[in-house]
Amino acid sequence: MVRWADAGDLPGLVAVEVAADGLFEQVGITFPPGTTMIEEVRDPSSVLVEGDPPAGFALLARVDGNLHLEQLAVHPDRMRQGIGGRLVEAMLDHARASGAPAVTLTTFRDVPWNAPWYERHGFKVWPEPSWGPELRELVRRERELGIEVAPRVVMGLFLS
């Protein structure tokens, strides 16, 4: 069951993110050193989780008036059980309920469990001219941090 995280969930989500990030090594992607995204979270109300303890999470933000998926991670031991899909559905339900016109995200273009997976959930690649100023800044910041170690795309799904 998907629910909003509480502060007690956050420390355990670090292990989920680290384990999920480790899968990228299989496709030759190694992330730069530093803290995980979930370690930067101070407000658990921006995180959807599934499981107790959580086996997966979706970290959300607002970007250009849209809901933005900053990170979706499922522990590899729990993959292929529908957790990621349920988190996406809960995120879309939240976006609709909060009046967001769209949901955006950035992801690796060629990694099977990234852009192709989001496409199966209705997301489309958004060309750069359609990005708002906050999304442009987010992409610039990702590049500056060294996250773009393989081709990345911006994707979105309009809710109306």
Side-chain angles (χ1 to χ4, degrees):
M1 181 175 122
V2 176
R3 61 180 171 80
W4 290 104
D6 60 46
D9 291 320
L10 297 179
L13 296 179
V14 174
V16 172
E17 184 173 355
V18 168
D21 283 354
L23 291 175
F24 287 91
E25 293 174 10
Q26 297 173 7
V27 293
I29 294 174
T30 304
F31 293 110
T35 58
T36 62
M37 291 186 78
I38 204 70
E39 285 175 289
E40 304 288 325
V41 172
R42 298 292 166 251
D43 179 6
S45 71
S46 65
V47 183
L48 288 167
V49 296
E50 179 170 303
D52 194 9
F57 70 88
L59 174 58
L60 310 176
R62 285 283 179 169
V63 175
D64 295 320
N66 296 313
L67 192 67
H68 183 78
L69 177 60
E70 295 210 323
Q71 174 84 324
L72 177 74
V74 175
H75 196 285
D77 293 345
R78 299 288 307 277
M79 292 179 84
R80 301 200 164 283
Q81 297 176 23
I83 295 170
R86 287 189 294 274
L87 286 165
V88 166
E89 284 306 310
M91 171 188 67
L92 295 174
D93 288 346
H94 171 66
R96 287 182 191 99
S98 68
V103 175
T104 58
L105 59 92
T106 60
T107 193
F108 290 104
R109 182 187 70 199
D110 302 321
V111 175
W113 62 90
N114 276 208
W117 186 84
Y118 287 110
E119 285 176 347
R120 290 193 299 276
H121 287 274
F123 287 82
K124 305 283 184 230
V125 173
W126 280 13
E128 190 169 343
S130 66
W131 303 353
E134 293 174 346
L135 192 53
R136 283 182 196 286
E137 175 59 18
L138 188 146
V139 170
R140 186 198 66 73
R141 219 173 34 250
E142 282 186 357
R143 289 177 178 151
E144 187 178 90
L145 291 171
I147 293 170
E148 193 166 29
V149 293
R152 288 181 65 81
V153 291
V154 170
M155 300 184 83
L157 185 142
F158 286 106
L159 298 172
S160 51

